[in-house]
Amino acid sequence: MLDGELKFLLGIITKNIKSYWMWNHRMWALSSLPRPEWQRELGLVAKLLALDARNYHGWDYRRFVVAQLKDAATNKHEVDTQEFAFTTEQINHDCANHSAWHNRSKLLPEILAQRDEDGQLEVLQTENDLILNAIYTDPDDQNAWLYYDWLLDIQKSDEDRSRLLRNKIAAIRELLELEEDSKRPLVELVSAYAELERLQSGSVSEPEKKECLETLRRLESIDPYRVGRYTDMSRTLSKQWALSA
């Protein structure tokens, strides 16, 4: 009976993939089977996500299926690694896939926990490269920038955060050589310098501080709808850094 229910659900989910209740009911039906085929289900979810790659109901259901596979696996790390690779594939296909970035953020701590210090640095460099590729593809899309901020938050020390911020600043500078009036990178550049100075007072040079204020003035002309925000940021930084706006 439940096998028939699963076939029925598969047919209607493909027609209404955003229905939470259909995914929830499939979760119940599969869990009620004496021996659910979780690996087969994972393959089905991948095909369903191909229809709507950003569908957060589908991604939530995928996390449920992966959790069941992980519970039954003798090598739990392998499950995490395979799922991490799936998010890489999805992000490379569509760097604006917020659900894939979110799922990656859930997996990365597990991936890092499996590595020694050198291995962790290698993984973080890979993450940095993935983010940069997404930023170069679409500088104004928020997903990669948000993931970059999250990556900063999970660093173990201010020294590690500062190093990552310097990498971010260098990447933005390179990007702005190609997209000099791209709004989001300009905002991120100022924010990165401000955070760097907050973490390590004196680490941002006077010319870099002046560059921040000049960047905010540029943003006022590029993005007049948010001129009040940029003016306020300029005043705040000028006061903190004892510079004239």
Side-chain angles (χ1 to χ4, degrees):
M1 179 179 178
L2 286 174
D3 285 334
E5 187 74 359
L6 287 169
K7 290 179 182 178
F8 169 70
L9 285 169
L10 182 59
I12 59 176
I13 284 177
T14 56
K15 297 177 182 177
N16 191 4
I17 200 168
K18 297 188 189 306
S19 172
Y20 168 78
W21 292 109
M22 291 181 190
W23 289 105
N24 196 46
H25 188 60
R26 187 171 182 86
M27 188 184 299
W28 169 82
L30 200 64
S31 300
S32 299
L33 288 173
R35 288 183 296 277
E37 296 183 42
W38 294 115
Q39 191 63 51
R40 178 175 177 273
E41 190 69 8
L42 190 65
L44 283 174
V45 178
K47 291 179 180 179
L48 290 169
L49 285 175
L51 300 175
D52 184 3
R54 304 186 193 184
N55 188 297
Y56 66 89
H57 295 311
W59 279 94
D60 189 49
Y61 183 73
R62 184 180 177 90
R63 281 190 290 275
F64 164 75
V65 173
V66 169
Q68 308 312 307
L69 281 168
K70 194 172 177 179
D71 282 344
T74 54
N75 187 345
K76 301 182 187 302
H77 296 332
E78 184 178 354
V79 177
D80 289 331
T81 300
Q82 290 175 350
E83 189 63 7
F84 198 65
F86 180 77
T87 66
T88 303
E89 177 186 325
Q90 295 299 305
I91 290 168
N92 284 335
H93 178 70
D94 178 10
C95 63
N97 188 334
H98 177 76
S99 294
W101 286 108
H102 174 71
N103 209 44
R104 194 175 186 85
S105 73
K106 298 291 185 183
L107 292 163
L108 184 58
E110 298 295 331
I111 297 297
L112 290 173
Q114 301 166 21
R115 307 292 202 277
D116 58 18
E117 187 173 347
D118 288 340
Q120 289 179 359
L121 289 174
E122 184 179 343
V123 170
L124 291 173
Q125 183 58 53
T126 300
E127 292 305 283
N128 191 68
D129 293 344
L130 183 70
I131 293 168
L132 295 183
N133 181 63
I135 288 170
Y136 272 84
T137 301
D138 187 355
D140 289 320
D141 182 72
Q142 67 173 342
N143 291 289
W145 295 112
L146 290 172
Y147 189 78
Y148 218 144
D149 288 342
W150 175 82
L151 199 60
L152 282 165
D153 287 342
I154 67 167
Q155 298 305 300
K156 295 179 179 179
S157 67
D158 286 349
E159 183 179 353
D160 290 337
R161 293 185 184 90
S162 296
R163 174 183 48 78
L164 196 57
L165 281 167
R166 277 296 177 187
N167 289 342
K168 181 179 181 180
I169 288 167
I172 294 173
R173 284 182 173 282
E174 189 174 322
L175 175 61
L176 288 173
E177 290 179 6
L178 303 173
E179 302 277 350
E180 62 180 14
D181 288 333
S182 188
K183 181 180 66 177
R184 185 64 184 256
L186 289 169
V187 173
E188 292 289 339
L189 181 65
V190 175
S191 297
Y193 273 129
E195 179 64 9
L196 184 61
E197 180 65 15
R198 187 190 70 80
L199 290 173
Q200 294 182 338
S201 180
S203 60
V204 178
S205 67
E206 290 299 307
E208 288 172 333
K209 291 176 180 179
K210 290 179 180 179
E211 179 190 1
C212 285
L213 298 185
E214 291 170 3
T215 299
L216 288 168
R217 284 193 287 270
R218 282 179 63 195
L219 281 165
E220 289 177 10
S221 60
I222 293 170
D223 186 19
Y225 289 108
R226 295 175 180 82
V227 64
R229 176 194 177 193
Y230 304 132
T231 300
D232 185 61
M233 287 174 67
S234 182
R235 287 172 180 166
T236 300
L237 290 178
S238 295
K239 183 177 181 180
Q240 290 177 354
W241 295 344
L243 296 173
S244 56

